[in-house]
Amino acid sequence: MARAKDLAEASIAADRGTHAHQLTEDADDGRSWEERAEAGELLGIDAAVQHELVVAWRAMLTDHGLEVLAVEASVVDDLWRTAGTLDRIVRLTRPLRFANTATGEVVDVIQIPAFLSRQ
């Protein structure tokens, strides 16, 4: 019985994660998240929480200067004979800085000038 409960709780967590992912996809593709809200409520996610998730996603993109170019993009690597789907392809509109608080290391990711990205 305990194993069944653990599996059920793992499933609901995964379903909620998938739902949150779909909400951000809707936002990036210009679709209304409200059409998906009922499904979220069936998973126990209040519509107000879903709205705040979408607001936070959009704010994160803006705050970090990320422009979404593609959503769920299929990719293939012939050399390694692998394929998959990228959740997002984004373009930096300004440098992005990451800091490792444990080591103090700072890494700057810079945007590629347009004339270089077309080669």
Side-chain angles (χ1 to χ4, degrees), residues 7-58:
L7 289 173
E9 287 176 4
S11 176
I12 191 74
D15 292 344
R16 287 175 177 165
T18 297
H19 180 76
H21 181 86
Q22 290 169 334
L23 288 175
T24 62
E25 280 182 21
D26 288 346
D28 290 341
D29 278 340
R31 294 186 302 265
S32 171
W33 68 270
E34 289 92 348
E35 294 175 15
R36 197 179 296 276
E38 185 176 343
E41 289 181 338
L42 292 174
L43 293 170
I45 309 170
D46 187 74
V49 171
Q50 295 177 73
H51 175 260
E52 288 304 313
L53 187 144
V54 172
V55 168
W57 174 255
R58 289 178 176 153

